[in-house]
Amino acid sequence: MNADEDKIITFESYYDPMLAHIIRSRLEANGISCFIADENIVMGNPIYNQAVGGVKLKIFEKDIERCREILASEGDLHESDHFEIDDENNTYVVCPYCASTNVSNITEGKDSGLLNTLMNLANPFHSQKNWHCHNCQQNFE
């Protein structure tokens, strides 16, 4: 083995430590060496979850394709456990940046003050929906 094959990388980040352990167990059951990082920081103080980028699943770089194959063939819990449905189109919301369904909706300008709050109360159906991806941290419409 050379140094490139021993390089450890972050395969995925999770905001649910239990989900990270489920995915780790699936990979280990298929012979992939991996471990969880930053779990103690997040479990000790959940406010730090976003600051550290969630709980990370670490693997050897040489195993990345095999990990993707395993999760694709068995169905990725990361995608199936977290999804939102767009009420207008009656479809799952998918992040355009990373294709994840681990998203939640946010309302644009929710911190814009009293005027915006009053406008939303006067016409609650006009509120523009935006989405936030918990995998890549991008916001999108």
Side-chain angles (χ1 to χ4, degrees):
M1 281 187 140
N2 62 28
D4 291 336
E5 292 178 349
D6 290 338
K7 184 176 178 186
I8 296 174
I9 62 168
T10 299
F11 179 64
E12 286 188 345
S13 293
Y14 302 89
Y15 289 93
D16 179 2
M18 188 59 76
L19 183 58
H21 280 285
I22 291 170
I23 300 295
R24 178 192 52 82
S25 296
R26 293 172 97 187
L27 294 177
E28 286 179 344
N30 285 282
I32 302 292
S33 296
C34 55
F35 65 94
I36 302 290
D38 293 336
E39 178 184 23
N40 292 336
I41 293 171
V42 170
M43 295 300 286
N45 193 345
I47 293 173
Y48 294 150
N49 199 345
Q50 192 165 5
V52 298
V55 178
K56 295 166 193 70
L57 179 61
K58 301 284 191 169
I59 63 169
F60 287 110
E61 188 173 37
K62 66 181 174 75
D63 294 329
I64 192 164
E65 290 303 319
R66 179 78 177 114
C67 291
R68 289 180 181 150
E69 290 171 8
I70 291 167
L71 295 179
S73 68
E74 296 181 5
D76 187 358
L77 289 175
H78 194 43
E79 297 298 324
S80 64
D81 278 1
H82 303 285
F83 62 89
E84 290 283 335
I85 297 178
D86 184 2
D87 294 330
E88 294 172 7
N89 301 328
N90 201 26
T91 59
Y92 294 115
V93 178
V94 178
C95 175
Y97 300 100
C98 70
S100 170
T101 56
N102 187 11
V103 300
S104 60
N105 65 359
I106 55 175
T107 304
E108 185 167 274
K110 68 179 179 182
D111 296 326
S112 297
L114 181 63
L115 180 61
N116 201 6
T117 302
L118 293 174
M119 292 293 285
N120 285 337
L121 287 173
N123 188 2
F125 301 107
H126 185 271
S127 176
Q128 172 137 6
K129 284 187 179 178
N130 284 322
W131 301 93
H132 175 76
C133 178
H134 296 287
N135 287 357
C136 67
Q137 303 303 313
Q138 295 289 329
N139 291 332
F140 58 95
E141 291 185 20

